[in-house]
Amino acid sequence: MEKFTIDTGAEQVLQNWQGPVEHVWQRYQEQEPQCGFGSLGLCCRHCGQGPCRINPFGKPDKGICGADGNIMVARNLLRQVTAGAAAHVDHAYETLEVLEKALSEEGPYKITDAEKLKGLAHKLGIAVEGKDIKDIGKELVAKAREDFQRFGSGELNWLVAHAPKERVAKWRELGVIPRNADREIREALHQTTMGMDASWPNLLLATVKLGLVDGYAGLKLGTDLQDILFGTPQPVFSEANLGVLTEENVNIVIHGHIPLLSEKIVEWARKLTPEAQKAGAKSIQVSGICCTANEILMRHGIPLATNFLAQELAIATGLTDAMIVDVQCIMPSLASLARCYHTVLITTNPIVKMDGATHLEWSYQQADEMARKAVELAIAAYSKRDPAKINATREKTTLMAGFSVETIISILSKIDAQEPLKPLVQEISNGDIQGVVATVGCNNVKITHDYLHVNLVKELISKDVLVVTTGCSANALAKAGLLNSEATEKWAGPGLKKILSLLGQVAGLDKPLPPVWHMGSCVDNSRIGDVLTALAEYLGVTVQQLPVAASAPEHQHEKALAIGTWAVAMGCLVHLGVMPPILGGQEVTAFLTSGAEEVLGGKFFVESDPVKAATVIYEHIQAKRKGLGL
Ligand code: MSK
């Protein structure tokens, strides 16, 4: 790797990195060369006879139990996708518990979007006419509970209500519709223990099932319940990059995923601003990292500090007074790094603790108290900053976000109130928009930070491809200035520019919409699924026939593999910029990158060069356009 990052803010902070703690790129270099067996997926520790590893070029060609490369790789992949799905399902489940309490008792949370609740209830077959909103909510909670823990047979309510009918039929035919999330997660762990499934096709079918658990009992359920509790995102304008951390403010950086915590921190930061002013600060600046950043950006316009790979750099600015974390994507290195600065690192979840961090546990009843204490700790830390350690950057960009499905429909309905999807379909038909690509997922230290996200997207929008984005991809694109109107002028192709200018006008902006639409956090990939489902149903075609694709250019998390599997099962071409550990199973690899298309409609392809990846995606879009007669 020639460069660690293309993010100018991150680069400036890195240039003045003050040891003694190493940063993520240094630790990566210390790991090289990485284990060849692990990279190919050819090692197994599932039983006490191992660890076993398989030589792809000779002996040993089997583990001690007799598992060959395909079995080993398929077992490992199923476990990864299961772990990713478990993370999203646990997130959705926590949200459900809060919704249930919010419906039955007075407390710190309440229903914000009653219309969304009603619409969702209607879709799930719950009668809403004349009923009290709390009663409707309780019936909805019962339906959601079934999707986590239904006893016996059945199908995920959220999947049956929201997936395209054609997909539901296909998944039924393949026998991959999940019964309930907990059951499938448990079964997948059982299926992959020593002495269980020795059929790689059967293991891959189970992987698809866990992808569907992720898509509907994790992503879709999570997004829906969060919108009900905290509101459905509307257009917002904000900023991105480490330059949002400035010397005059108390800086609170929230990092993680579940908005139950961050919503309260935002609220208490506002309430305690006079306290920060008494301490000599101008105000309190809350900003975010990873998906919790996207959640509070989408609903409150809170700026993005940075994304996954640069999380340590937020502390290394010397300006982060408190970093408050909940779950997922939190580097263990933060604790030792925070000790080198004045930063108070606050963990809040019982399953994420770190030596040296302050643990303030979030709970439903204590949510306000906990958030108030966390903000007070940040204000107290402000006066302990060490001027010698300040390593600030002024780098930041402007951005527009808040592209929920509701926002998109509301803008389009200003052109056609009866059929809001019609103008979008017309633009795709006439070629002003060639297709739609979703870029999602993380950063991965194996790729120059943000490089693939940014350069892939610049290629695509220059070819009149509209890009929608979530997760750390959205954050990367925001920092590169691709989420504002100027980006449309600068990088969009002529057709895309034309339609974005028109949409900007009808949205009352007086300038074009951005060429990349920020749709939210990783769980909000469900919003992208909703758009695909709506487009396919409007046109009377399958998702597989649409001129669309997905890409996780710099994925690192097991969650990204789970999301990618769901997208392939939906019928999408899914690009990955980093090879997952599958090459040791030749037949498994052939299936995932080719054979899957015939069975599921979608497949994966791996390419680390952004121009080549954009070419493959564009050719795929052209083939789909041709198939539709466009
Ligand atoms: S946060 S899962 S690094 S996108 Fe959703 Fe970013 Fe990936 Fe974590």
Side-chain angles (χ1 to χ4, degrees), residues 465-578:
V465 174
L466 177 67
V467 172
V468 294
T469 188
T470 60
C472 287
S473 185
N475 203 318
L477 301 172
K479 289 183 292 169
L482 284 157
L483 264 56
N484 56 37
S485 302
E486 292 70 41
T488 302
E489 304 290 356
K490 225 163 148 183
W491 287 299
L496 191 57
K497 202 179 282 180
K498 195 174 96 195
I499 178 67
L500 291 172
S501 301
L502 172 68
L503 291 176
Q505 241 174 45
V506 299
L509 287 186
D510 246 9
K511 48 187 182 177
L513 288 188
V516 181
W517 293 358
H518 190 335
M519 295 191 74
S521 64
C522 292
V523 293
D524 294 337
N525 283 314
S526 66
R527 301 191 200 277
I528 300 173
D530 288 347
V531 172
L532 291 182
T533 303
L535 270 178
E537 287 187 344
Y538 178 76
L539 289 168
V541 300
T542 64
V543 170
Q544 186 187 0
Q545 288 174 281
L546 295 173
V548 300
S551 170
E554 302 178 20
H555 72 95
Q556 55 83 14
H557 206 287
E558 288 160 319
K559 291 178 291 174
L561 290 177
I563 296 167
T565 304
W566 164 64
V568 165
M570 283 286 280
C572 291
L573 176 72
V574 176
H575 163 244
L576 301 175
V578 182

Side-chain angles (χ1 to χ4, degrees), residues 256-257 290-291 308 328-329 441-443 471-473 522 556-557 559:
H257 279 78
C290 279
C291 279
F308 170 75
Q328 303 166 16
C329 301
C442 331
N443 300 122
C472 287
S473 185
C522 292
Q556 55 83 14
H557 206 287
K559 291 178 291 174

